[in-house]
Amino acid sequence: MISFVGRALFVSVFLLSAWQEFNDFGDNGGRAAKSLRPKFNAFVSHVTTHTGQQLPPIDMKLLVAAAIALKGIGGLLFVSGSSLGAYLLLLHQAVATPILYDFYNYDVARKEFSQLFSKFTQSVALVGALLFFIGMKNSRRHGRQLRKKAPKAKAN
């Protein structure tokens, strides 16, 4: 019971965010798509500059819809204790964190740097919690397999 409550409280961050973005989505992706566009353009510019690879054009409406789906489906699966839910939330965090919290675009002395860096580190902490959950699920599953293979002694 305590584990369920912990998972529900943890995932509320993702589910409430997905619900809010879903309600605001509209025809153009809502405020999320509008605020994501400049950050995504800066991210694409960084990728192109550092790798020489041009990323294909991506519709912000589809990107926001994918984020809503990952957070919503991943959150519901995570509450039920599914590792797949944790992997979906991990995928969302891995893609969204460097784009949304682009502290690297600001000078250290600027206020935006500290605000974005703080949110970035909080997001990294969520990634750590998801990795911990996945690790615990895998260690319990592995432990059960080892115990099943142990032969039982026969009494004569």
Side-chain angles (χ1 to χ4, degrees), residues 3-46:
S3 177
F4 175 78
V5 172
R7 287 192 312 271
L9 289 172
F10 176 82
V11 83
S12 68
V13 173
F14 296 102
L15 291 177
L16 292 173
S17 169
W19 181 253
Q20 182 180 19
E21 289 174 6
F22 177 77
N23 284 332
D24 185 49
F25 194 74
D27 294 334
N28 59 359
R31 288 176 284 175
K34 185 178 178 182
S35 65
L36 184 60
R37 171 54 66 195
K39 289 184 175 283
F40 186 77
N41 289 342
F43 177 76
V44 168
S45 175
H46 274 292

